[in-house]
Amino acid sequence: MPKLTINGTEIEVAPGTSILQAAESLGYEIPRFCYHDRLSVPGNCRMCLVEVEGAPKPVASCAMAAGEGMIVHTDTDRVRRARQNVMEFLLINHPLDCPICDQGGECDLQDQAVAYGYDRSRYRESKRAVPNKNIGPLIKTIMTRCIQCTRCVRFGEEIAGVTELGLLHRGEDVEIGTFVEKAVSTELSGNMIDICPVGALTSAPYAYKARPWELRKTQSIDISDAAGSNIRIDSRGNEVLRILPRLHEGINEEWISDKARFCYDGVSRGRLDTPWLRDEPGAKLRPVSWEEALTFVAGRLRKIRAKDMAALAGDLADLESVVALKDLMTQLGTPHLDCRMDGARFDPSSRANYLFNTTIAGLERADCILLVGTNPRWESTMINARIRKAWRQKKGALPVGLIGEEADLTYPVEHIGETAAALKEIIGGKHPFAKKMKAAQNPVLIVGSAVFAREDHGAIAHLLGELARKYDIIRDGWNGMNMLHGAAGRTGALDVGFVPQAPDARGMAEIIEGTRSGAVKALYLLGTDEFNARADIGWQCFVVYQGHHGDHAAMRADVILPGAAWTEQDGTYVNVEGRPQFARQAVSPPGEAKENWKIIRALAERLNIRLPYDTSAHISARIAADWPHLAKWDVLPDHTEIGAWDLKGEKGDLSGGVLASPVRNYYMTNPLCRASEIMARCHAAFPKGRDADSGSEDKTEQEAAE
Amino acid sequence: MKKIFEPDAAYQPDTFAFKDPKKVKDILGRYPQTHQGRRSAVMPLLDLAQRQTAKEGLKADPPHGGWIPRAAMDEIARMLDLPPVKVYEVATFYSMFQLAPVGVHLIQVCTTTPCWLRGSDRILETCREKAGIDLDETRPDGKFTLVEVECLGACVNAPIVQINDDYYEDLTPELMEDILDALEKDKKPKTAKTAKIPGKTPESSPRRKPGSS
Ligand code: SF4
Ligand code: FES
Ligand code: FES
């Protein structure tokens, strides 16, 4: 362990630590442009120069490993002058157009120019100009501002796994581009906007909208998938202007998917902002007051027996409203509840059955991964990025097998088979991948929840159990069995038991069936937008839809109760790992729309049922009383308590058919995305959200590692 | 000068195939079959492609010199299983690689400080007059292209001109004229060695007898 002295303070660091990192751990800030702690180190901007005693010239601290006995100065006159000179060179060709640049106020170059820039220019030659590039609908490029730090190039190559940007030409002519005009086809492209230290890559939808200091910043949670990425919502007045990632080492690190970043404009488009009511089946919906709508619903529900009612909780429902709805339905006496909008039918009695037990960060310890019926790239981008990270950390020595639809996941994948029959091959032990499973210390199995919506889910669950036992996927100190959901609200709803309340109670499919047979006479839909309600729900059933977008379900509803979207209310979301997180309210709901749990609370009142909570604090207390683990924000479940996966299934015949991923179109997975113009543009640019020829380098990188 | 690259220009062929599979195999065999190893093969393959078009160019009308079409870069990327941009990066970086058609004789005049101090301005002027073209131009008959380059690494015998694979050193306007005259007649010009003034290598160092280096 080298010991060195930085500015007179001695410090011992792990071998291989750079001087920059060592200095940082002592609290000395070193300016930098090209260095980024999650990317490789090119050492090409020279801004991080420091003085090392004995070295003839200042050295680039990001690329120089700390050595035994080094004496480093980070803040001498010489260092300052060297950095000033670097800055002067960087600014020679920079347009200095901060007043019209969107990066203004949060620009590394601007900030560091304050510290190291001269107040006037000595440069009298003509400046160079670089043509802007068209690299897709999300990133606006103003390439004359680029300082060639190559962060964006390295991000594409290393994190996103899509090598499309490059550093082209040389010397004064050097530029960043794709050479052949091409949209950068990665679902992580928005992060390039964040890591670009200048205003060369900025957000196209946010262009010229606001200055960072005008924005109100609210901590929230992403709901575009179930990973629960941490985000920050930036708003001005009552308008959400952009979404940025927040650091969370356990989930998204400092990245988010493009869907998480750019679906926000869907919130304000196509909204339900007033209650609507249809007086009788077939009549037209007419806007009404809350009073009238709630009284009408209560009146109708009173006439229907509890066992003829049912309720469904949708993909984006927050924990509070699900609890309120469950409390209401329980008090009414209805056992027919379900939250599994994809029609999955697994046994939710043990939490370990439906959680991502390995945890997202835990994937880095995995040494063999088997994916069954899931495409993590489209179902949970951050989990896919983590698998890629693990694969890179292991220098390619991480076998990943896939049973299901073939897919490009940005890392090499062994496609074992399309149907569940391939599971038998693995269990048989003859398949080459089976040998890798056998040899693994920390094997991981990830099964998509959609697998359990199939007819033969019982037989598959049985096989999965057999496989888990055979390869010891759950062993001491390691739980490798995972279910991957796509819906942000799902895990929370399962946790509070928003599932059929009795063995003979109806689940999702039976409820829908019941509306047609007449067995279900009233149906309460809490933001359920993922099935074709208009076609599927029987005509005589009385349907109440509570939600924020006028999708299928709203059109079928007899009464529409407008609810807040996730940006407009406080709400708890439990991510796939079982980690409850709190999304704060950033703006207020439009028009008459109300917070979701309060709507249910008000309706209960009309039914003479008193739900024992009046404020957010009360409902939090209510949740904490029954589910104390859901009140502990950002705490992972204790696996010694919740036990192991025990989906038994039953031996049976497989029905064949491809184990397809439920995500058919990455940019259109929820009503917010479908209402979003930006997502529509992405959809047009990347028709299926997938690009067959991306990620080709990775296959070869793997060999490099061997 | 920034390299010209027009990926969608009319002169870009749609496809490219290496005519000498043995050479290709030989090149691929030189490097380890790893990711890094294959990346090393990019440069020799680019060079091979350029030589191939140069050979074909002699028979074309008007004739042209060696250059690398986009299709060739894509083909190399495909062969090596690399993203195409990794090949583009290399091809745009080095001035040896031409990405647009050039004349049969590519005259590269070094104008960096040592050559400039030794009179590269006059050499360039001679080229302009003799070849009848300006910098970055190709003569309509496809014979000459004139470009300016940075240090060719032979400053010791400045001023230097590189024409295709040959260096011409210690140039004077007269020597330059002779060289271009010879090329005009499709003759092999006298090379640097024969043009060298005896005993003058380099001027600032102690005199050496010819051949005693
Ligand atoms: S575009 Fe931005 S991130 Fe990319 S090299 Fe230029 S300055 Fe760096
Ligand atoms: S940060 Fe060290 S060279 Fe760029
Ligand atoms: S300056 Fe002309 S060869 Fe070096």
Side-chain angles (χ1 to χ4, degrees):
Chain A
M1 296 261 275
K3 213 183 258 165
L4 70 167
T5 313
I6 302 178
N7 296 351
T9 316
E10 217 171 67
I11 178 173
E12 201 173 326
V13 293
T17 310
S18 64
I19 299 180
L20 185 143
Q21 287 166 324
E24 200 152 69
S25 65
L26 283 176
Y28 298 116
E29 206 184 313
I30 296 186
R32 85 265 330 247
F33 291 114
C34 68
Y35 175 82
H36 188 284
D37 36 352
R38 287 173 213 275
L39 302 175
S40 60
V41 179
N44 59 16
C45 76
R46 318 310 286 180
M47 195 60 200
C48 61
L49 294 175
V50 298
E51 212 178 328
V52 177
E53 278 183 22
K57 297 186 288 183
V59 302
S61 60
C62 68
M64 169 79 80
E68 181 61 41
M70 271 183 175
I71 302 177
V72 180
H73 303 281
T74 68
D75 203 16
T76 60
D77 268 347
R78 186 149 173 247
V79 166
R80 223 166 303 126
R81 246 182 311 144
R83 290 180 190 160
Q84 276 167 354
N85 292 338
V86 169
M87 179 57 88
E88 195 175 6
F89 271 116
L90 283 175
L91 294 182
I92 275 182
N93 276 316
H94 192 81
L96 305 176
D97 57 349
C98 306
I100 56 154
C101 175
D102 265 322
Q103 192 87 349
E106 48 188 9
C107 174
D108 290 357
L109 190 63
Q110 204 177 37
D111 294 350
Q112 290 175 36
V114 172
Y116 297 101
Y118 291 113
D119 59 351
R120 65 208 63 206
S121 172
R122 296 189 280 161
Y123 188 68
R124 296 285 172 271
E125 316 290 318
S126 47
K127 289 193 174 218
R128 77 178 194 143
V130 183
N132 294 339
K133 309 286 182 298
N134 177 1
I135 55 171
L138 300 177
I139 304 180
K140 179 179 164 192
T141 65
I142 298 176
M143 294 321 275
T144 304
R145 294 181 188 146
C146 170
I147 57 167
Q148 286 83 41
C149 67
T150 70
R151 278 187 185 183
C152 54
V153 176
R154 284 172 284 140
F155 177 85
E157 210 170 318
E158 294 162 19
I159 310 284
V162 175
T163 309
E164 287 174 349
L165 284 179
L167 185 72
L168 306 164
H169 297 285
R170 70 163 164 189
E172 195 196 19
D173 301 317
V174 84
E175 38 182 90
I176 295 289
T178 49
F179 214 157
V180 173
E181 187 171 300
K182 182 169 192 212
V184 176
S185 55
T186 158
E187 65 291 348
L188 288 167
S189 69
N191 297 299
M192 292 184 186
I193 297 167
D194 290 344
I195 57 167
C196 180
V198 300
L201 307 180
T202 53
S203 161
Y206 172 71
Y208 305 133
K209 285 267 164 62
R211 285 301 189 190
W213 56 84
E214 307 170 322
L215 299 173
R216 195 173 57 241
K217 301 163 179 70
T218 312
Q219 303 201 340
S220 185
I221 301 299
D222 167 45
I223 46 95
S224 68
D225 61 32
S229 297
N230 284 207
I231 56 168
R232 188 183 102 192
I233 300 175
D234 281 7
S235 56
R236 186 181 54 192
N238 207 31
E239 195 187 356
V240 174
L241 288 177
R242 64 172 180 181
I243 287 178
L244 297 177
R246 256 186 315 131
L247 182 72
H248 193 305
E249 294 293 354
I251 303 172
N252 54 316
E253 304 193 279
E254 60 188 85
W255 322 116
I256 47 172
S257 68
D258 287 353
K259 192 156 62 176
R261 188 185 296 263
F262 289 115
C263 72
Y264 62 85
D265 72 325
V267 172
S268 51
R269 295 167 51 85
R271 281 300 294 275
L272 299 168
D273 55 4
T274 179
W276 295 76
L277 189 157
R278 199 192 305 272
D279 293 295
E280 58 200 57
K284 264 196 150 149
L285 282 166
R286 61 183 174 91
V288 292
S289 68
W290 271 109
E291 188 51 49
E292 194 178 346
L294 290 175
T295 314
F296 184 81
V297 175
R300 292 293 298 264
L301 290 186
R302 257 198 226 108
K303 290 197 206 107
I304 296 171
R305 284 178 309 174
K307 70 177 184 45
D308 296 340
M309 293 181 201
L312 294 172
D315 285 357
L316 306 183
D318 58 297
L319 190 67
E320 285 77 359
S321 60
V322 173
V323 168
L325 185 57
K326 187 183 176 204
D327 283 350
L328 172 62
M329 289 297 155
T330 314
Q331 298 228 15
L332 285 169
T334 307
H336 312 302
L337 312 177
D338 209 346
C339 62
R340 290 163 293 182
M341 290 301 101
D342 52 4
R345 284 159 294 180
F346 46 81
D347 165 22
S349 55
S350 159
R351 275 190 102 198
N353 284 355
Y354 57 82
L355 290 186
F356 200 88
N357 297 305
T358 303
T359 72
I360 299 173
L363 284 172
E364 288 180 31
R365 286 170 53 210
D367 53 5
C368 184
I369 299 179
L370 178 61
L371 305 168
V372 180
T374 179
N375 176 335
R377 185 170 180 192
W378 305 128
E379 288 164 40
S380 193
T381 309
M382 290 333 300
I383 289 182
N384 197 56
R386 197 61 84 118
I387 299 177
R388 183 175 158 83
K389 181 181 179 196
W391 168 77
R392 272 183 65 84
Q393 274 178 350
K394 297 216 159 44
K395 304 222 181 313
L398 173 64
V400 182
L402 171 65
I403 297 179
E405 234 174 330
E406 226 176 326
D408 173 6
L409 300 179
T410 74
Y411 41 84
V413 176
E414 239 171 278
H415 191 225
I416 298 164
E418 288 200 317
T419 65
L423 283 171
K424 287 189 179 153
E425 271 180 62
I426 299 288
I427 295 170
K430 292 255 166 45
H431 194 281
F433 196 82
K435 308 225 160 66
K436 297 179 189 167
M437 287 284 275
K438 188 98 226 159
Q441 296 300 313
N442 296 328
V444 166
L445 192 145
I446 302 175
V447 50
S449 68
V451 165
F452 295 92
R454 296 164 54 94
E455 274 311 317
D456 54 356
H457 67 96
I460 295 180
H462 182 77
L463 287 177
L464 290 171
E466 213 172 302
L467 198 146
R469 275 191 300 281
K470 168 133 193 194
Y471 294 105
D472 263 347
I473 290 180
I474 303 164
R475 45 182 95 175
D476 249 2
W478 181 254
N479 188 340
M481 286 301 271
N482 302 293
M483 194 184 290
L484 185 57
H485 301 276
R490 183 84 79 248
T491 312
L494 288 169
D495 279 350
V496 298
F498 204 92
V499 290
Q501 301 293 303
D504 59 343
R506 292 167 185 273
M508 169 76 185
E510 295 83 35
I511 290 175
I512 299 298
E513 200 275 318
T515 61
R516 284 200 292 264
S517 72
V520 173
K521 299 201 168 54
L523 180 57
Y524 198 100
L525 300 175
L526 178 62
T528 53
D529 299 291
E530 301 316 314
F531 69 100
N532 191 349
R534 247 196 317 175
D536 294 350
I537 297 178
W539 67 272
Q540 67 278 61
C541 180
F542 174 66
V543 179
V544 180
Y545 174 80
Q546 172 181 344
H548 42 76
H549 273 82
D551 250 15
H552 295 300
M555 278 189 257
R556 166 60 185 85
D558 295 293
V559 179
I560 296 174
L561 305 176
W566 105 107
T567 50
E568 299 157 355
Q569 62 174 17
D570 288 344
T572 304
Y573 287 91
V574 186
N575 83 345
V576 278
E577 305 167 293
R579 184 200 296 268
Q581 300 187 100
F582 197 61
R584 289 177 197 284
Q585 175 180 12
V587 292
S588 38
E592 293 291 309
K594 296 268 183 288
E595 264 178 75
N596 283 301
W597 72 266
K598 288 187 180 156
I599 297 174
I600 298 163
R601 165 80 175 69
L603 176 63
E605 191 107 10
R606 301 291 189 292
L607 288 163
N608 293 332
I609 293 172
R610 211 189 147 268
L611 296 181
Y613 23 88
D614 300 327
T615 65
S616 307
H618 289 169
I619 189 151
S620 301
R622 149 83 187 99
I623 293 172
D626 268 19
W627 302 281
H629 54 280
L630 296 183
K632 289 187 204 129
W633 291 336
D634 204 15
V635 174
L636 281 172
D638 180 349
H639 281 277
T640 52
E641 258 167 47
I642 64 173
W645 162 295
D646 68 348
L647 282 187
K648 305 226 170 41
E650 65 269 354
K651 244 189 160 116
D653 291 336
L654 297 174
S655 56
V658 183
L659 297 181
S661 158
V663 176
R664 302 325 298 171
N665 188 334
Y666 177 68
Y667 294 105
M668 296 283 147
T669 50
N670 66 43
L672 295 169
C673 302
R674 288 192 289 269
S676 156
E677 255 185 42
I678 310 173
M679 288 294 107
R681 282 203 289 272
C682 289
H683 178 44
F686 316 106
K688 281 157 113 185
R690 43 193 94 181
D691 184 344
D693 59 33
S694 61
S696 64
E697 185 181 16
D698 309 322
K699 285 173 229 116
T700 55
E701 242 178 77
Q702 183 180 36
E703 293 159 29
E706 281 161 11
Chain B
M1 211 270 307
K2 183 160 167 186
K3 220 176 254 194
I4 300 167
F5 180 58
E6 302 159 313
D8 301 315
Y11 58 73
Q12 293 276 4
D14 293 337
T15 56
F16 180 91
F18 282 104
K19 295 253 165 74
D20 193 345
K22 234 186 96 222
K23 266 240 174 70
V24 172
K25 220 176 132 210
D26 172 53
I27 290 174
L28 294 179
R30 273 184 237 161
Y31 306 101
Q33 281 304 305
T34 60
H35 173 64
Q36 285 304 328
R38 281 205 298 258
R39 279 179 85 162
S40 313
V42 168
M43 281 216 255
L45 285 175
L46 284 170
D47 184 62
L48 187 66
Q50 181 156 305
R51 284 176 197 285
Q52 180 173 322
T53 53
K55 218 188 244 163
E56 292 162 359
L58 290 176
K59 286 182 236 123
D61 180 37
H64 62 78
W67 68 288
I68 305 168
R70 170 188 167 185
M73 295 192 264
D74 290 347
E75 168 66 9
I76 293 171
R78 192 194 59 74
M79 278 166 47
L80 301 178
D81 203 1
L82 293 174
V85 73
K86 289 283 141 202
V87 180
Y88 304 157
E89 282 185 330
V90 175
T92 52
F93 185 86
Y94 292 100
S95 56
M96 296 110 87
F97 298 131
Q98 308 303 319
L99 303 185
V102 292
V104 174
H105 303 291
L106 176 65
I107 311 171
Q108 299 176 298
V109 184
C110 172
T111 54
T112 305
T113 317
C115 284
W116 175 67
L117 287 170
R118 300 283 298 151
S120 65
D121 280 358
R122 279 157 59 223
I123 303 294
L124 188 58
E125 207 38 54
T126 314
C127 291
R128 274 202 179 103
E129 269 163 32
K130 266 290 186 194
I133 43 174
D134 210 336
L135 272 180
D136 301 330
E137 281 180 3
T138 301
R139 215 162 72 177
D141 69 355
K143 197 141 217 170
F144 294 117
T145 295
L146 181 61
V147 295
E148 192 182 30
V149 289
E150 300 304 334
C151 182
L152 289 168
C155 328
V156 69
N157 288 332
I160 306 290
V161 167
Q162 182 184 2
I163 303 180
N164 295 357
D165 285 341
D166 295 318
Y167 271 30
Y168 298 90
E169 315 182 335
D170 289 321
L171 288 170
T172 61
E174 295 73 40
L175 285 170
M176 195 67 227
E177 274 186 36
D178 291 349
I179 292 166
L180 293 178
D181 278 340
L183 290 176
E184 192 83 68
K185 293 191 202 111
D186 290 329
K187 282 207 206 106
K188 189 120 183 91
K190 290 180 184 165
T191 57
K193 258 189 206 109
T194 54
K196 204 163 19 182
I197 306 156
K200 180 208 154 278
T201 319
E203 199 176 52
S204 53
S205 68
R207 263 177 183 273
R208 263 173 287 175
K209 286 209 190 82
S212 72
S213 56

